């Protein structure tokens, strides 16, 4: 499946389900109407920062933007069906590991190129999202708000997604890590 088509369908479906116009989603997310329109038509390869802004505005995790629709979600996520996405700016690659059957817990594998950096500026969410990053290979510097940690293989960092976060591979080697996301109950945003 084309990843941009999957993202396009998810953003449009979630926006429609919440009764949000393009203008309303643009205002909530800080992403321009024209950019959202291009994303929804599958004509743009959005960056990780843009996807994070959209997911926060839609009241979901970034990982949930990669969920494939299913009539009856399976409790098994087969490797052949796991969605892989590459950030067009940093080149980091994320693979959604979790089955759609359990939206409260999501696992994502990330391959992060050496010397690259991604900053997520959104901090306002309608629900609590907790994240843990477990380093499998290499090293990363992760900044959460004003706090900074350098992680190496085997280290695990727990954080709440309520402040700006920056991921940076400050080494000359690729990094690989697992992200576990846990969310509180999500209630869709309603408009009048």
């Amino acid at each position: 499946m084309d990843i941009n088509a999957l993202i396009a369908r998810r953003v449009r479906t979630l926006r429609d389900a919440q009764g949000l116009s393009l203008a309303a989603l643009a205002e909530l997310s800080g992403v321009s109407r024209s950019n959202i329109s291009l994303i929804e038509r599958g004509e743009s390869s959005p960056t990780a920062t843009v996807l994070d802004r959209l997911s926060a505005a839609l009241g979901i995790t970034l990982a949930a933007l990669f969920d494939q629709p299913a009539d009856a979600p399976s409790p098994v996520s087969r490797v052949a069906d796991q969605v892989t996405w590459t950030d067009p700016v940093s080149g980091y690659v994320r693979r959604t590991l979790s089955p759609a059957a359990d939206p409260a817990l999501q696992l994502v594998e990330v391959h992060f190129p050496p010397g690259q950096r991604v900053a997520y500026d959104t901090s306002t969410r309608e629900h609590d999202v907790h994240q843990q990053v477990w380093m499998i290979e290499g090293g990363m510097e992760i900044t959460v708000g004003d706090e900074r940690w350098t992680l190496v293989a085997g280290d695990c960092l727990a954080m709440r997604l309520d402040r700006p976060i920056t991921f940076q591979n400050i080494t000359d080697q690729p990094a690989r890590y697992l992200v576990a996301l846990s969310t509180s109950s999500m209630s869709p945003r309603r408009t009048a």
Side-chain angles (χ1 to χ4, degrees):
M1 169 177 277
D2 174 33
I3 191 66
N4 288 330
L6 173 64
I7 293 168
R9 185 171 41 252
R10 286 289 290 157
V11 171
R12 178 62 188 254
T13 300
L14 290 163
R15 181 175 65 80
D16 287 348
Q18 295 180 33
L20 295 171
S21 66
L22 278 173
L25 182 55
E27 185 176 327
L28 288 169
S29 66
V31 177
S32 72
R33 278 184 59 191
S34 60
N35 196 4
I36 295 170
S37 179
L38 287 170
I39 291 166
E40 287 187 355
R41 291 193 315 262
E43 297 174 3
S44 172
S45 183
T47 65
T49 302
V50 167
L51 290 178
D52 183 62
R53 289 179 181 170
L54 290 173
S55 66
L58 292 166
I60 62 169
T61 64
L62 190 146
L65 281 178
F66 300 97
D67 289 346
Q68 295 192 53
D71 294 331
S74 170
V76 176
S77 174
R78 302 287 181 200
V79 69
D81 298 327
Q82 294 170 353
V83 176
T84 302
W85 174 79
T86 304
D87 179 51
V89 174
S90 69
Y92 96 81
V93 179
R94 63 180 288 125
R95 182 167 56 108
T96 302
L97 304 172
S98 297
D102 184 8
L105 176 65
Q106 297 165 322
L107 298 176
V108 176
E109 179 186 29
V110 176
H111 291 260
F112 212 99
Q116 294 300 310
R117 176 182 183 275
V118 171
Y120 299 105
D121 298 323
T122 57
S123 57
T124 305
R125 296 181 185 270
E126 289 189 1
H127 56 280
D128 284 337
V129 178
H130 297 270
Q131 175 175 285
Q132 291 189 20
V133 175
W134 178 53
M135 292 300 304
I136 300 169
E137 297 172 351
M140 293 289 291
E141 183 175 272
I142 301 175
T143 305
V144 182
D146 296 329
E147 300 175 276
R148 179 174 298 160
W149 293 273
T150 299
L151 304 179
V152 296
D155 291 346
C156 187
L157 173 65
M159 66 190 94
R160 188 168 167 225
L161 300 186
D162 60 354
R163 296 171 282 171
I165 298 174
T166 302
F167 290 82
Q168 184 170 4
N169 184 341
I170 57 174
T171 74
D172 61 355
Q173 298 296 313
R176 184 168 69 103
Y177 54 91
L178 177 73
V179 177
L181 295 151
S182 172
T183 58
S184 63
S185 100
M186 296 187 229
S187 57
R189 175 180 290 116
R190 300 222 164 116
T191 58

